[in-house]
Amino acid sequence: MGPVAAVTFIMVALTVPTSRHPVEGRVDLPGFAISAVAMALIVYTLIEAPTYGWSSGRSLAGYIGFVVLAAGFAAWESRIEHPMLDVALFKNMRFTAASGSVAIAFSGCLGSPYSWTRCWATTTA
């Protein structure tokens, strides 16, 4: 995959023009850090929940921590001048419903092969 990624990177650098937006936005490093920690926490919690129990204290702490971090991310993004994600977009119910539907569909599509593999591994063992 390395050579394909290298060629793609070079082609993008040579062919994609720079932005014509008159004001350059700043990179939202705190927003990035909050979202990265929140995503890492929920993924870790969901992976470890079958081992410790879905309603164990450890799992509940992970869920609560994710909700707190996600709320913190939304609060942070709504207050800064150049947000990484404009949370005001979610006031539009059509946008919110469409985004939620796509997220659910992708979760199902990405989770199905994992479930199939586990099912096949347990039935053939």
Side-chain angles (χ1 to χ4, degrees), residues 12-28:
V12 166
L14 294 175
T15 59
V16 175
T18 58
S19 174
R20 289 186 233 142
H21 195 277
V23 178
E24 286 194 29
R26 299 165 85 192
V27 176
D28 179 20

Side-chain angles (χ1 to χ4, degrees), residues 45-66:
T45 301
L46 292 174
I47 289 172
E48 294 298 322
T51 303
Y52 296 104
W54 290 96
S55 60
S56 70
R58 187 175 183 154
S59 296
L60 292 175
Y63 305 141
I64 292 168
F66 169 74

Side-chain angles (χ1 to χ4, degrees), residues 78-89:
S78 65
R79 281 186 283 188
I80 64 171
E81 188 176 345
H82 298 286
M84 183 171 66
L85 172 66
D86 186 5
V87 292
L89 290 172

Side-chain angles (χ1 to χ4, degrees), residues 1-121:
M1 201 64 179
V4 173
V7 170
T8 303
F9 179 78
I10 291 168
M11 289 177 64
V12 166
L14 294 175
T15 59
V16 175
T18 58
S19 174
R20 289 186 233 142
H21 195 277
V23 178
E24 286 194 29
R26 299 165 85 192
V27 176
D28 179 20
L29 291 178
F32 171 75
I34 295 168
S35 66
V37 171
M39 289 297 112
L41 180 60
I42 194 64
V43 168
Y44 178 79
T45 301
L46 292 174
I47 289 172
E48 294 298 322
T51 303
Y52 296 104
W54 290 96
S55 60
S56 70
R58 187 175 183 154
S59 296
L60 292 175
Y63 305 141
I64 292 168
F66 169 74
V67 169
V68 168
L69 285 168
F73 174 76
W76 173 260
E77 293 297 302
S78 65
R79 281 186 283 188
I80 64 171
E81 188 176 345
H82 298 286
M84 183 171 66
L85 172 66
D86 186 5
V87 292
L89 290 172
F90 291 96
K91 289 179 183 176
N92 181 340
M93 282 298 130
R94 290 180 179 168
F95 177 81
T96 303
S99 298
S101 299
V102 169
I104 291 169
F106 279 158
S107 297
C109 290
L110 294 174
S112 296
Y114 174 74
S115 299
W116 298 337
T117 304
R118 283 189 56 112
C119 180
W120 291 331

